Amino acid sequence: MHHEAGEARLLAHCTALDFDHSETRTRPEADMSFKDPITYDDFAKIDLRVATVRAAAHHPNADKLLVLQLDDGSEGGRQICAGIRGHYEPEQLVGRQIVIVANLEPRKIRGEMSNGMLCAASDLSEGEAARKVILLGVDRPVPPGSPIS
């Protein structure tokens, strides 16, 4: 991938995971540390899947969260809470295919169950305070529940 001078640098992450994109040109000083390496066996435990957003709403008890209803290929789908409010409006997400961590242990977040985590990139080219969040997706439609490999 060719990067021109001044082009925004993106770091992909799944909130709990940070992936190194070594092709990037500049890194803000605060972004120089990486998490400890994990084994391939640990990485292989992570179940990344494509899901289609069926509905999205503001979390009733949190200013930074959205509640997403997803078609993940399973009967009934799943709900996740995501800290992307302020970066996306709910109506922008409906119909969009995103990448999720499907096997993350369910967790109640401010009264709402979250059954997974979405993956997003953080554009830190203007520093942490000006972070921009960009959802990860696929470049053409695939069936919900398709595995990421």
Side-chain angles (χ1 to χ4, degrees):
M1 177 184 290
H2 176 70
H3 290 277
E4 294 182 22
E7 182 175 323
R9 191 226 3 102
L10 300 179
L11 282 178
H13 75 278
C14 293
T15 307
L17 303 172
D18 287 324
F19 297 101
D20 173 25
H21 287 331
S22 58
E23 300 172 12
T24 58
R25 288 186 168 258
T26 61
R27 296 182 187 277
E29 192 61 37
D31 191 46
M32 291 302 289
S33 64
F34 293 94
K35 294 184 179 188
D36 291 335
I38 61 172
T39 66
Y40 179 82
D41 289 340
D42 285 341
F43 179 76
K45 294 176 187 176
I46 301 167
D47 187 9
L48 298 174
R49 301 279 176 149
V50 175
T52 303
V53 180
R54 292 187 314 199
H58 293 123
H59 190 296
N61 303 315
D63 293 340
K64 295 182 180 182
L65 297 176
L66 293 179
V67 180
L68 307 180
Q69 303 300 325
L70 304 175
D71 178 355
D72 64 354
S74 68
E75 188 174 327
R78 71 175 64 215
Q79 173 176 289
I80 65 170
C81 298
I84 58 172
R85 191 170 172 174
H87 300 280
Y88 291 91
E89 289 300 321
E91 58 272 10
Q92 291 177 284
L93 302 174
V94 176
R96 190 168 181 163
Q97 288 199 303
I98 61 173
V99 175
I100 64 167
V101 179
N103 63 336
L104 190 64
E105 189 172 279
R107 181 176 181 179
K108 189 174 267 195
I109 302 176
R110 298 248 176 138
E112 295 286 336
M113 284 306 296
S114 186
N115 295 289
M117 182 180 292
L118 64 76
C119 296
S122 289
D123 177 351
L124 300 173
S125 61
E126 296 176 25
E128 181 65 39
R131 174 190 298 257
K132 295 179 187 106
V133 175
I134 301 94
L135 298 180
L136 297 185
V138 291
D139 67 353
R140 66 183 77 140
V142 297
S146 294
I148 304 291
S149 57

